[in-house]
Amino acid sequence: MTEIPASESTSGPTSGPATDVPVAFQDSGYRAAVVDLLGAIAYGEISAFERLAEDAKLSPTLADKLALGKMATIQFNHVEPLIARIADLGSEPMEAMAPFVKPFDAFHAKTAPSNWLEGLAKAYVGDGLASDFYREVAAFLDADTRNLIVTSLADSGHASFVVERVREAIAADGRVAGPLALWGRRLMGEALSQAQRVVAERDSLAALLAGGVDRPGLDLVALGRMFNRLTENHANRMAELGLAS
Amino acid sequence: MTEIPASESTSGPTSGPATDVPVAFQDSGYRAAVVDLLGAIAYGEISAFERLAEDAKLSPTLADKLALGKMATIQFNHVEPLIARIADLGSEPMEAMAPFVKPFDAFHAKTAPSNWLEGLAKAYVGDGLASDFYREVAAFLDADTRNLIVTSLADSGHASFVVERVREAIAADGRVAGPLALWGRRLMGEALSQAQRVVAERDSLAALLAGGVDRPGLDLVALGRMFNRLTENHANRMAELGLAS
């Protein structure tokens, strides 16, 4: 395992690899929180991979199966850099992911799609929501961690595939729109409920949002604004699919 | 779609991409057979991806799940170059894969592992058998197609992971070896039965093995030898796992 220098990163265009650790990590609480966050994102991507691969079975055509398989694979490919960084920070990646297995599995168990369109909508809406949330949190972190997270959330490039397929289905039979709109609301509700449980159980993550050494934080007003942005983006994605939110 | 030049490939280190099509393709039967073969391999990798992702659920630890997910992802990543080549040859990739959906799905349905060790053994033994078979066939094809196939079969690098895990399990409890040995025989039997069905239904593939313009072929004696090599390699893999074959 790589040893972590306690000094500030000598950042700049010619500086070394991402194993440099910036000043914020002098706060051991911050380090624990970042490990928690990276563990959550990594396991989130593993479980998204599993569910997308599972939902690919519902595909009406081979081309659809291929598209969903591709989304699953892209999610999975994000995992390795995240767990490498966790190891660089001196933690055991499997242990770092462990606390998040139950909430993510619970989310997926409670939102198992019963048909292809529900699976597609979940991939689009769920992935978008998770990305938005991690991006919001990443804004409060050191630059290396932020860059790693933003890269790991890079769009799978298949959003347009999902939008097209769902819009086609609604155009072909308008009756699918009502149940899908309800489904979107349920996804949002379950995601918030699991996220709340995670933050309540992991003090480190709550502290992360409050700020710390060399880092800004969020007060309750800012937290409320962040929540508004998340729900607004969710509504935009539902509208993009041609659905009420 | 790329247009296919009917002339021989101007091969050499400075020649163009793999869209050059060699003289063997002047034989339209050969072209059809290669499209069939690439379609079979591509769908085989998609279905292996699906099953590995499914079997990952049986993982006793998160590290095991990650290892199986990685194997699944590597299989899936091989699909794109194969379907790109099918398109270059003037065929529709989804149509090229379609005839192989049923036999591969039937194979997987009949060999759904009932526990983690069966899943591991299947990943190792099944993947090895498929690779051996495609490599044998590739030896009779034009160089571009052969290289594409051999690249797409590149070891997922996780064979040693499987061998280690299965050996550990047998060391911990010798009673698992008997059922696993039977399982290996069943995998081999089902694979041969489905392969036979495919070759019987796709004349092009049978013709491929018989040789053609500018290409050598296999007589019955050579075919028998090839079959012997396949079963011998299978036995070696079983022995590697610590199992009778």
Side-chain angles (χ1 to χ4, degrees), chain B residues 43-44 47-48 51 100-113 121-123 125-127 129-130 183-195 197-198:
Chain B
Y43 188 74
S47 72
R51 299 308 152 155
F100 306 102
V101 170
K102 225 183 240 179
F104 276 106
D105 287 359
F107 170 74
H108 287 297
K110 286 185 180 177
T111 58
K122 180 177 167 182
V125 164
D127 192 46
L129 192 58
W183 174 244
R185 254 168 272 166
R186 206 172 120 205
L187 289 171
M188 182 67 170
E190 283 297 339
L192 287 178
S193 138
Q194 294 301 330
R197 189 169 306 176
V198 166

Side-chain angles (χ1 to χ4, degrees), chain A residues 185-208:
Chain A
R185 256 168 272 167
R186 207 173 118 205
L187 290 171
M188 182 67 171
E190 284 297 339
L192 287 178
S193 137
Q194 295 301 331
Q196 219 160 13
R197 189 169 307 175
V198 166
V199 174
E201 278 174 24
R202 309 298 294 180
D203 291 345
S204 67
L205 289 176
L208 192 67

Side-chain angles (χ1 to χ4, degrees), chain A residues 50-228:
Chain A
E50 280 192 297
R51 300 308 153 151
L52 286 167
E54 171 89 17
D55 297 348
K57 285 187 205 154
L58 301 166
S59 309
T61 72
L62 200 43
D64 289 327
K65 179 179 284 195
L66 207 59
L68 229 57
K70 176 93 183 170
M71 290 169 77
T73 302
I74 289 172
Q75 294 273 5
F76 193 87
N77 287 340
H78 292 151
V79 174
E80 270 186 3
L82 292 168
I83 66 179
R85 179 66 174 172
I86 292 171
D88 282 346
L89 290 171
S91 292
E92 209 290 299
M94 302 307 142
E95 280 170 28
M97 291 191 279
F100 306 102
V101 170
K102 225 184 239 181
F104 276 106
D105 288 358
F107 171 74
H108 287 298
K110 286 186 179 176
T111 59
S114 58
N115 60 49
W116 164 244
L117 285 178
E118 285 189 359
L120 275 189
K122 179 177 168 182
Y124 181 66
V125 164
D127 192 45
L129 193 57
S131 290
D132 280 351
F133 176 69
Y134 297 136
R135 258 176 237 274
E136 289 276 358
V137 175
F140 296 92
L141 307 180
D142 64 283
D144 286 351
T145 306
R146 183 168 62 244
N147 290 340
L148 174 67
I149 291 175
V150 170
T151 306
S152 86
L153 301 174
D155 191 330
S156 58
H158 285 245
S160 60
F161 160 79
V162 172
V163 170
E164 205 178 290
R165 281 290 188 282
V166 173
R167 284 185 164 273
E168 274 170 14
I170 294 171
D173 180 359
R175 286 170 302 178
V176 304
L180 275 181
L182 279 177
W183 173 244
R185 256 168 272 167
R186 207 173 118 205
L187 290 171
M188 182 67 171
E190 284 297 339
L192 287 178
S193 137
Q194 295 301 331
Q196 219 160 13
R197 189 169 307 175
V198 166
V199 174
E201 278 174 24
R202 309 298 294 180
D203 291 345
S204 67
L205 289 176
L208 192 67
L209 292 173
V213 180
D214 207 26
R215 291 183 309 107
L218 274 175
D219 60 17
L220 275 181
V221 175
L223 210 61
R225 282 203 204 103
M226 171 175 139
F227 181 76
N228 284 345

Side-chain angles (χ1 to χ4, degrees), chain A residues 39-55:
Chain A
I41 299 178
Y43 188 74
E45 307 240 35
I46 293 174
S47 72
F49 158 79
E50 280 192 297
R51 300 308 153 151
L52 286 167
E54 171 89 17
D55 297 348

